[in-house]
Amino acid sequence: MTAIVQWKLLTSLAFATALTGCAASDPVFTGLPPAPVTASGETAPVGTGKADAADDPAIWVDPANPNRALIVATDKKAGLHIYDLTGKDIAFAQAGLVNNVDVAGNIIVASDRNDGVNAHLAVFRLDADKPAIVALGRAAAGTGEAYGLCLKKTAPSAPLTAALIVKDGTVRVGTLTMADGAAPSFAMEWEYKIPTQSEGCVFDGDTLYVGEEDAGVWELKQDGKGATARIVAPVDNQRLVADVEGLATIDHKGQRYLLVSSQGDNAYAVFRLPGVDYVGRFAVTAGAFGATSETDGIEAAAGNFGTAYPDGLFLAQDGDNAPKAQNFKLVRWDQIAAALGL
């Protein structure tokens, strides 16, 4: 019996147990068994030790050389790191309290929490040749504490669309403008209020997925100056266990998938888009580079990034990298796809 068949059999048995119920003396079922994978690499620890500091990663793919990629990641107590795919820390920019980060072209945008009353987007330019992170300024984005952040991936000539998630669940989507010699500016196009604390987000075309930490994944589609919204993947203690944290997407064999950090049981749920059809779960277990746990931000990118990551890359923040400071683990996407039978 193959490992995939064994895992699917265990998953089916666990799901059947959840549906049929248990005797009072039986243990409470809290999740479908995740398929195990191991990390193929890890980044150097972030600079802030003995604290919840590493938070969110992004992947920059060189437009001139799609086989080259860099990792941009936040130390939410201090600033931004750039890592190569061996995990080496090759650049750092002090930026204070920056929480989530995303990259579009050579523009890096982070949610800026340095002002807890008024939200801002911190904007940088990536000089990949040096490498270096060049600060371009901060864009005001309304009241509230900036928390989650993601960018809509469009053609380089198109306006840059950003989604800012305020900690109370307010979602603001708008255009980020960077004129030569002027500070960046953010013009909100629409807004939607999710009931409680939210953070992780990712665009899939014009659709925005947002993670409400205690409730699940929301699907938002613009409707005038607001949005039509529905929960498409609820916290059910089977597929997702609170907190729902990082969100990412990846293309694989002509299909697009949504990945979600199920922080409560140190796993990651996978859904097929656009229907948000559940596919399975995986966990990064102990291996040469250790397991991941209490994951906040995640990211994924398809592509051939050399012999180490020939069919794409998955990144996960590791909330417990003791005795060192927190860091980010790198996993071959083809191993995840094989473990889930994709």
Side-chain angles (χ1 to χ4, degrees):
M1 185 181 294
T2 68
I4 293 173
V5 172
Q6 287 177 324
W7 172 76
K8 287 187 173 180
L9 179 59
L10 286 171
T11 298
S12 298
L13 290 172
F15 189 57
T17 302
L19 292 177
T20 57
C22 304
S25 59
D26 291 339
V28 176
F29 176 74
T30 59
L32 303 180
V37 299
T38 57
S40 295
E42 65 180 345
T43 68
V46 296
T48 302
K50 299 180 180 179
D52 179 20
D55 195 272
D56 190 44
I59 299 172
W60 173 82
V61 178
D62 189 343
N65 178 12
N67 301 122
R68 179 191 179 210
L70 297 173
I71 298 167
V72 184
T74 59
D75 176 336
K76 63 185 179 184
K77 309 289 187 182
L80 291 169
H81 290 272
I82 304 292
Y83 303 97
D84 64 21
L85 294 192
T86 71
K88 182 180 179 181
D89 192 346
I90 56 177
F92 177 75
Q94 290 186 346
L97 308 181
V98 285
N99 200 59
N100 281 18
V101 67
D102 207 350
V103 179
N106 68 339
I107 299 298
I108 301 169
V109 184
S111 54
D112 188 322
R113 300 174 67 187
N114 288 291
D115 181 345
V117 177
N118 296 295
H120 291 82
L121 302 178
V123 185
F124 307 84
R125 178 173 54 83
L126 172 63
D127 185 338
D129 293 331
K130 286 187 176 181
I133 306 167
V134 181
L136 300 180
R138 299 163 74 226
T143 59
E145 182 180 353
Y147 207 48
L149 180 283
C150 55
L151 301 177
K152 184 178 179 181
K153 306 302 192 292
T154 55
S157 59
L160 184 57
T161 298
L164 174 70
I165 316 299
V166 179
K167 194 171 185 179
D168 69 358
T170 301
V171 179
R172 296 186 184 124
V173 177
T175 301
L176 189 61
T177 303
M178 292 147 290
D180 290 341
S185 62
F186 176 76
M188 190 179 73
E189 297 174 359
W190 59 272
E191 183 178 63
Y192 185 85
K193 177 65 172 70
I194 288 173
T196 64
Q197 183 170 308
S198 306
E199 181 178 5
C201 68
V202 67
F203 279 99
D204 180 50
D206 292 330
T207 301
L208 177 64
Y209 293 99
V210 177
E212 184 181 7
E213 295 188 358
D214 290 338
V217 179
W218 287 77
E219 177 189 85
L220 275 62
K221 297 184 178 183
Q222 182 180 6
D223 182 10
K225 293 189 178 297
T228 58
R230 63 188 182 115
I231 288 187
V232 291
V235 167
D236 58 4
N237 293 328
Q238 299 172 18
R239 300 167 181 179
L240 289 175
V241 182
D243 289 350
V244 170
E245 289 286 345
L247 276 65
T249 58
I250 193 168
D251 295 313
H252 179 75
K253 294 183 178 179
Q255 293 285 342
R256 192 158 176 82
Y257 295 92
L258 172 67
L259 316 177
V260 184
S261 171
S262 177
Q263 190 184 71
D265 66 341
N266 305 323
Y268 311 92
V270 181
F271 302 87
R272 185 181 295 109
L273 296 175
V276 199
D277 303 309
Y278 176 70
V279 170
R281 290 155 41 85
F282 68 94
V284 182
T285 58
F289 296 96
T292 61
S293 60
E294 302 175 6
T295 294
D296 286 324
I298 62 173
E299 184 59 291
N304 182 353
F305 304 123
T307 57
Y309 305 99
D311 193 31
L313 170 65
F314 171 76
L315 295 174
Q317 183 260 9
D318 185 7
D320 183 3
N321 189 45
K324 299 178 181 179
Q326 295 176 338
N327 71 347
F328 302 87
K329 299 296 194 284
L330 291 73
V331 185
R332 288 175 55 141
W333 171 253
D334 58 346
Q335 292 187 358
I336 296 171
L340 296 178
L342 302 182

